[in-house]
Every structure is written in structure tokens, then in C-alpha cells.
Amino acid sequence: QKEVEQNSGPLSVPEGAIASLNCTYSDRGSQSFFWYRQYSGKSPELIMFIYSNGDKEDGRFTAQLNKASQYVSLLIRDSQPSDSATYLCAVRGGNNRLAFGKGNQVVVIP
Amino acid sequence: DTAVSQTPKYLVTQMGNDKSIKCEQNLGHDTMYWYKQDSKKFLKIMFSYNNKELIINETVPNRFSPKSPDKAHLNLHINSLELGDSAVYFCASSPDRTGVVEKLFFGSGTQLSVL
């Protein structure tokens, strides 16, 4: 089982809709959870981090964490064409190493 | 005022050659990393240095050798390049003085193509 798994396949959403991305992790000792956005040909940049169970909102982004079920999700409200990118889930495990998922490509259709 | 800068941005070379990628950060961070991103976008850690000391050394061929002359620099030297080394290599830094990795600041990446 991979340390961090993200759903495969690009996600196409109409402009203005909500994009929902999910990520599961295998290490129950994981402490911190991150979402990075990576535009094509660019480097990843951190957009959200969450440490505690529940929701964390930042502008149009909401991160949700459920440690019991070992998943973390990212919601993008009012999706814009500029949100079209690959979103990488990253988890800091009990070994203090940051493991990345393979990413989810989001395509926002105008 | 670039935070994490790495050079070169593109590197095209023949199999068997030796090449180096340089990385510098001006953020005052204590920890630096090398990540490899393959064609499927999977980002995997290779090495991590904290204040010039190697703290993470993943299962990477011995042909890859990191060097940190000071905490602001982390270079990557690759010997006897192979086709499978083709990827994007990202340098990153993190202000994790406590040893707890948190936010990563990435360089712009080096696209390595081995022919």
C-alpha cells in the first residue's frame, strides 16, 4: 500500500463549481497534512495545511481531515480557470518524512 | 529576491556522463532537500540535509551524491547518468529547526534529459 494515495484521473469541473479532491494515507502516526498546487512546468507551492480533525478554510479552499478514517480532502469553491493545476497531497508521517501522493489534475472549464 | 534557486533549469546530456545541479536558498532555513519528480508527477524525496548534516538518505543509487558546503547550499552530483535518471529534480528548503518538517519552499526545478 502506498503511503499517500490520491484518486487517479483528471477532474473536470465547470467554472464556478466545487472541485473535491481526496487523499488517503497509511501511517496512523501522521501528524501534519498539506496540499500543494503545481501548475504545469512549475514547482509545487503550498496552499493549505491542516493538523487537527475537522475543517480548515482559507478563502475558496477548505481542507478537511479525518484521522480516524485516515483521509484528508481539499475543496475548491467557485472554481476558476486559474485553479487548473495538479494538486499534490503530502503527509508528514511518524518518521518525520513528508510523503507525497501522485497528484490530481484539475481542469476548470470556462 | 529568489528564495530557492537552482541551476541549470534544463540539462540535456548523454548516457554515462557526470553532471551537477546546484541549489541555493536565501531564506535562512536550516533544512534542504532534493526531490525527484518522474513523468507521472510522483514526487519522491531523495536526500535531506539539516545544517550541512545528512539526515535523510532514501534508497537512491550511489551514483547520486549530495554535497552541502553550508546550510544555504545543497548540490547534487550524478555520475554515470542513465536513461532512467531523466526526470525533474527539485531542490527545496524548510525552516524546521526542530527537525519537524513543515512547509517546503521549492526551487523552480531542473529538467534532466538523458539521451
Side-chain angles (χ1 to χ4, degrees):
Chain A
Q1 182 186 7
K2 286 196 173 68
E3 289 183 77
V4 180
E5 295 207 53
Q6 295 183 246
N7 296 335
S8 60
L11 176 66
S12 293
V13 295
E15 185 174 353
I18 296 175
S20 176
L21 304 171
N22 294 316
C23 168
T24 58
Y25 59 94
S26 59
D27 182 356
R28 280 200 171 273
S30 297
Q31 304 284 328
S32 311
F33 308 85
F34 308 85
W35 284 98
Y36 283 80
R37 177 177 63 200
Q38 186 175 23
Y39 292 115
S40 181
K42 301 294 184 183
S43 57
E45 58 175 330
L46 182 70
I47 55 171
M48 287 288 287
F49 60 90
I50 186 167
Y51 304 138
S52 307
N53 276 331
D55 294 1
K56 179 181 178 183
E57 190 174 313
D58 184 359
R60 296 185 294 108
F61 297 100
T62 299
Q64 299 173 317
L65 175 61
N66 184 322
K67 287 186 178 180
S69 300
Q70 293 177 241
Y71 83 77
V72 56
S73 61
L74 179 70
L75 300 177
I76 309 173
R77 290 183 302 281
D78 188 24
S79 295
Q80 302 296 309
S82 60
D83 295 326
S84 296
T86 296
Y87 290 81
L88 304 168
C89 173
V91 176
R92 178 168 68 81
N95 60 2
N96 196 35
R97 296 186 181 193
L98 198 62
F100 283 84
K102 67 176 183 178
N104 277 127
Q105 186 183 3
V106 172
V107 178
V108 180
I109 304 167
Chain B
D1 59 347
T2 305
V4 182
S5 59
Q6 58 181 106
T7 56
K9 188 165 175 62
Y10 300 98
L11 190 49
V12 182
T13 187
Q14 300 285 335
M15 277 177 55
N17 283 351
D18 303 339
K19 291 293 178 185
S20 292
I21 307 172
K22 295 186 175 181
C23 179
E24 175 182 3
Q25 54 96 2
N26 62 5
L27 298 167
H29 291 168
D30 286 338
T31 307
M32 296 184 72
Y33 307 81
W34 278 111
Y35 278 85
K36 178 181 179 180
Q37 189 170 43
D38 60 27
S39 57
K40 296 183 179 178
K41 298 294 186 184
F42 192 53
L43 198 61
K44 191 164 185 188
I45 190 168
M46 301 173 68
F47 303 102
S48 172
Y49 272 74
N50 182 275
N51 242 327
K52 301 193 297 177
E53 182 183 344
L54 179 66
I55 56 172
I56 294 177
N57 185 352
E58 289 296 297
T59 308
V60 176
N62 290 338
R63 300 181 293 102
F64 290 81
S65 54
K67 280 189 174 54
S68 181
D70 55 62
K71 77 171 192 176
H73 294 83
L74 180 61
N75 304 322
L76 183 65
H77 188 75
I78 315 170
N79 289 326
S80 303
L81 278 155
E82 299 177 357
L83 292 176
D85 297 333
S86 297
V88 180
Y89 292 83
F90 285 104
C91 176
S93 71
S94 173
D96 52 348
R97 289 188 178 85
T98 62
V100 173
V101 62
E102 296 298 338
K103 180 178 180 178
L104 291 177
F105 293 75
F106 284 90
S108 56
T110 295
Q111 173 81 58
L112 172 63
S113 299
V114 182
L115 308 177

